Amino acid sequence: MRYGETGFNLEIDLSLGSIDRVETDPKLTELHLGGQGTADRILWDRVPAGVEPFSPENVLIFSSGLLVGTPVPGANRTVVNTFSSQTNLHAHSLLGGYFGAELKHAGYDKIVISGRSSELVYLWINNDKVEIRDASHLRGMGCQETAEQIKRDLKSEKIQVAAIGPAGENRVNMASIDHSHSSAARGVGSIMGDKRLKAIAIRGTKDLNIARPTELFEMCQNLRKSIAENPSVGDWMATDEDDSFHHNNFSWGNARVRRRDFWSKELEERWRNLKYKYMNRQTSCYNCSKVCHNVISFPGKPTFSYKCYGKDTYHMAAFQELDFSYEILGISQEYGLDSYSTPQVIAFALELYEAGILKDQDFPGMPVNVRERFFYLLEKIVRREGIGDILANGVSLAARQIGNGAEAYDHNTIKRFEQLPIKLGRLNPVYFLMLATGEKMAITQIEGSFPQDPLPTIEQRKEFVDGWVSVPNEKFKKYFMEWEKRDTISNEASCAICDWNEAMHYLDDATGICGFLSSFRGGQFGGRSAYHIHNMPPLISLSTGIKMDETLLWEVFQRNRTLVRALNVRRGMRRIDEKPPEDHWAIRDHDYEQKLLDDYYDFKGWNKDGIPTKETLDKLGLDYVSEDFLQKGILKDNEAASTEKEKEA
Amino acid sequence: MGVLTVNGGVKKRTVKEIKVNVDKCTGCRACELSCAAFHASPRYSSINPARARIRVLIYERTDLYVPVRATNYTPAECSGRQSYIIDKKEYSQCSFCGASCPSREHFKEPDSGLPLKCDMCEDEPPLSEPMCVQACTFGALTYEETLEEQGKEKEAKPEDLKIGLESLVNKYGPQKVTDAVTRMSLSRKG
Ligand code: SF4
Ligand code: SF4
Ligand code: SF4
């Protein structure tokens, strides 16, 4: 019997209309755990480098994390992986809510979707009964509207639905997949649209077996309580009304303008009143004792939910106030547009217009008022009409299509992906590494285990490191105690810290544990995360029966992380792509940054071009990757040897 | 409902109750998961909210979050379907009704279709609080024990049991009912 996971994947080929239930290899679970770990192995095996993201050969995978559905609190993430049409690289995306648990109870760990349907369809998974159904009546519908219609059609409120809106249907690169109060962004909605898959509806009523039930249950009951009482975990942006940090420090518009003194007590009060006037309630994801979703019903607009920085993106892009975000978020979420990148794309278009690079004729009938302009461009983008057809490709690709100097306005992307509009004075070496080399494409998907800034006094640092449970190794406490200025920290420490940050995110994405309880809270926001390298192994063992300890778990992280790198390297990603925007920090030192990158590659066992060496790959059991790389000439036979020699010289 | 106490010569019984505050419910469904785990056999060995004796009815768009516990089995649909407005939100009477009735899928064993019923987690030794209440960290469910003079509560009459069983046998056939009873008694032992 399999524990913690079902042991079966659902394989759907939309071109053939075929549906298969496939037993999976438990050895792969031991090597990669579940979630994104095993999904990446499927991508490696099935999607060769030459496959275009918009093609039937690209595969879209919904994976329930390994611990999802078990009593482990906050383990509820569905990971969505594919190749992104925006970056042409690996796409990493997450859904909270109830979807993953429902999938497990239907009897599957993953849904692997290949091919492309000729007509718009949706998938109906009702335990063992799985159907591809006509979705023509859902065409053009919003994400939540679709979910509601499907529940009505199938006459059950218990069905969980993930759907795309018109943005996904029209293959807009910023399209997301939405479920309940969660969205999966970063390149997955457009692929679902390309496959003409409007939605996936699931109802599952099967048992999920637990290997060592009593111990696990008791541990989880305690965790649920301690998470509820722990102020450092969850999304305090959902509950804290003081948001001076983002408003005063992040850049407004197309990531250009800082407004240092924007925040005031009067504004805070006004915004608080606005929120509580229109907020229905705060909600949780499945089996979590935090509330991170503020659910807002703004008059005349669709109900929406926000968490984290999502509430700031639209009004900061438009130089407006919170009420503007409330006005536009419900609509953009129904369209299935990512609220992180879309506002930047719109602000970018308006900046090009002001600069005269885009002209009046590019915006026929555009209103004068900036708020109305945002709505106008939202419509153009979602329908790929006129200039919207170009903008729907995202800032980086659009800038190249527009030309005529537009490239200079693409100043906030890495590997063609829009970043948070953080522009800083001094370089933070750890952040340089995470931004440059992070393959989850957004800093929030990589940071969290180590504080962003040093604390001023030794006493404060001491207080911080005392009881810093999440540190895998005492050396991190030492790094923090000795850290005085943001930009002065050794390369050795920077590499190790970056590695730790990555570790926790990769493990969360394999287990399905929410980052707000784990990777995103390990050190950055108080350093009291609920999950860390020390308590994950027993949770995994008790749930699944897999033998696990800290050393083995760290190896799983390295294997999974290296496999993502390999997927991207195979698609052509190289060192030259690993650069944060020129103006991300005011003061730059090219030679220092390159040395930092060298040291990081070295630390990871990668060659000078960021390609994992044969030795590294083989050690992690990824010899099929090294064989492929040698065969294709991506790695040379003598690679490891020559790197060694250079070091000696 | 049980535990007889003799207090100053007056026989009293403990009445156990779970109070629900719908405004505090966040939709986490930890109550469902925990109830199902507690009633699994062996205990906690499998998780399946579809077997829970508590269900959180969630209507996201209208902001209705209603935890309902399974009460009696009714062989027929009831006729009362009025709706109420509470705090400007419209609830149907059905939302609060814990009956396992033919028109709803809420409280039925997924394999057999047999009705589920909340047993207040009666166990030896008794739990400090029922499992769903322990799981609810938001205070949407709270446990209350009150002492009531005996006789106030209507005693279950043997005929009721017979009528109930008969209707179950009519609907599901004797084999399924026997299986369910066997499974239930096993899970109590486990
Ligand atoms: S911490 Fe917040 S976002 Fe994470 S699982 Fe819990 S409720 Fe969801
Ligand atoms: S009291 Fe016990 S049996 Fe009843 S719903 Fe709660 S957990 Fe389930
Ligand atoms: S545990 Fe409490 S808050 Fe969570 S769904 Fe159940 S009643 Fe609602």
Side-chain angles (χ1 to χ4, degrees), chain A residues 167-187:
Chain A
E169 282 181 52
N170 295 332
R171 307 196 311 179
V172 172
N173 275 344
M174 296 86 78
S176 56
I177 302 170
D178 281 56
H179 152 71
S180 184
H181 292 311
S182 296
S183 303
R186 297 185 296 282

Side-chain angles (χ1 to χ4, degrees), chain A residues 260-394:
Chain A
R260 285 281 195 200
D261 302 318
F262 178 78
W263 198 261
S264 67
K265 280 287 151 201
E266 177 270 326
L267 176 124
E268 188 175 317
E269 187 57 27
R270 192 149 42 83
W271 288 16
R272 180 191 288 113
N273 291 338
L274 186 80
K275 171 176 160 186
Y276 284 98
K277 185 163 176 203
Y278 296 113
M279 187 170 79
N280 294 341
R281 77 175 66 219
Q282 288 166 323
T283 65
S284 316
C285 307
Y286 182 76
N287 191 22
C288 182
S289 42
K290 285 289 162 194
V291 279
C292 297
H293 308 101
N294 290 319
V295 184
I296 308 281
S297 280
F298 204 63
K301 308 284 181 202
T303 298
F304 67 93
S305 143
Y306 67 71
K307 73 176 168 40
C308 208
Y309 179 64
K311 72 173 171 193
D312 299 338
T313 52
Y314 273 104
H315 70 253
M316 286 179 71
F319 293 95
Q320 297 296 305
E321 289 202 8
L322 184 63
D323 60 318
F324 180 61
S325 285
Y326 280 11
E327 238 179 69
I328 199 165
L329 264 173
I331 293 174
S332 96
Q333 277 184 15
E334 268 303 82
Y335 283 160
L337 282 166
D338 172 28
S339 62
Y340 280 64
S341 45
T342 313
Q344 280 193 50
V345 177
I346 297 178
F348 157 80
L350 292 175
E351 208 177 69
L352 292 185
Y353 177 62
E354 270 159 38
I357 297 172
L358 287 175
K359 309 263 191 270
D360 277 326
Q361 61 264 30
D362 294 312
F363 303 98
M366 181 162 74
V368 180
N369 178 295
V370 68
R371 288 182 169 229
E372 289 167 24
R373 283 184 168 175
F374 262 67
F375 280 102
Y376 168 93
L377 283 166
L378 200 69
E379 295 295 330
K380 294 278 173 220
I381 289 171
V382 86
R383 312 207 184 286
R384 277 193 174 270
E385 258 170 31
I387 191 71
D389 190 31
I390 295 172
L391 296 172
N393 296 329

Side-chain angles (χ1 to χ4, degrees), chain A residues 12 32 93 185 292 369 456 564:
Chain A
I12 311 285
H32 298 278
S93 195
C292 297
N369 178 295
V564 171

Side-chain angles (χ1 to χ4, degrees), chain A residues 69 98 105 144 148 156 158 180 205-210 213 217 224 280-281 283-284 286-289 291 303, chain B residues 22-23 25-29 33 37 44-51 58 60-61 63 65 105 110 135 137-138:
Chain A
Y98 314 105
H105 289 301
Q144 292 295 323
E148 274 178 14
S156 168
K158 293 264 153 207
S180 184
T205 61
K206 294 192 192 180
D207 296 345
L208 184 68
N209 301 310
I210 305 297
F217 200 80
R224 194 176 294 115
N280 294 341
R281 77 175 66 219
T283 65
S284 316
Y286 182 76
N287 191 22
C288 182
S289 42
V291 279
T303 298
Chain B
V22 289
D23 287 332
C25 180
T26 69
C28 72
R29 299 175 55 200
L33 179 154
Y44 312 123
S45 62
S46 72
I47 307 297
N48 188 355
R51 290 190 199 283
I58 299 174
E60 277 161 5
R61 304 294 260 179
D63 191 43
Y65 288 70
E105 55 172 335
T137 43
F138 298 102

